Amino acid sequence: RAGYAAKSVLELAPNDADASVVLGIALLWLCDAAGAEAALQTALRRRPESQPVRKLLVRVLRRLGRHDEASELERSGPRPRQLDDVSPW
């Protein structure tokens, strides 16, 4: 049911990154790591700055045995903002 519901949401909002994330998580729970990877890759293309999506995709890639690709994805992402980046002083 979860996979069907997530696919239905994606059909209603095909350009929504969150819908792709939901689908990716549902597919991961259903042990479809390849499908989860595709959905999370789509979500990351739509929202490349998203650390949670990036972390989920890294986990999926590791589950698929693609450790080098997962490590590269971790290194290539935007760095988390530090307090100095947002301080007006």
Side-chain angles (χ1 to χ4, degrees):
R1 266 193 243 171
Y4 178 76
K7 286 181 183 180
S8 297
V9 169
L10 192 57
E11 288 172 5
L12 294 172
N15 296 318
D16 186 353
D18 291 335
S20 293
V21 172
V22 169
L23 177 59
I25 292 169
L27 292 172
L28 191 56
W29 280 28
L30 294 170
C31 298
D32 181 359
E37 179 203 357
L40 293 170
Q41 289 280 9
T42 298
L44 192 60
R45 277 194 304 277
R46 291 187 177 128
R47 195 177 293 152
E49 74 286 351
S50 175
Q51 289 296 320
V53 173
R54 187 173 297 275
K55 287 180 181 183
L56 278 169
L57 184 53
V58 164
R59 292 177 110 183
V60 170
L61 290 171
R62 288 205 169 112
R63 182 173 285 185
L64 290 168
R66 293 161 49 194
H67 302 284
D68 291 341
E69 193 175 339
S71 295
E72 177 59 31
L73 183 62
E74 279 182 312
R75 285 191 299 272
S76 69
R79 70 179 180 85
R81 293 180 71 176
Q82 295 177 350
L83 289 179
D84 288 342
D85 293 342
V86 295
S87 174
W89 312 110

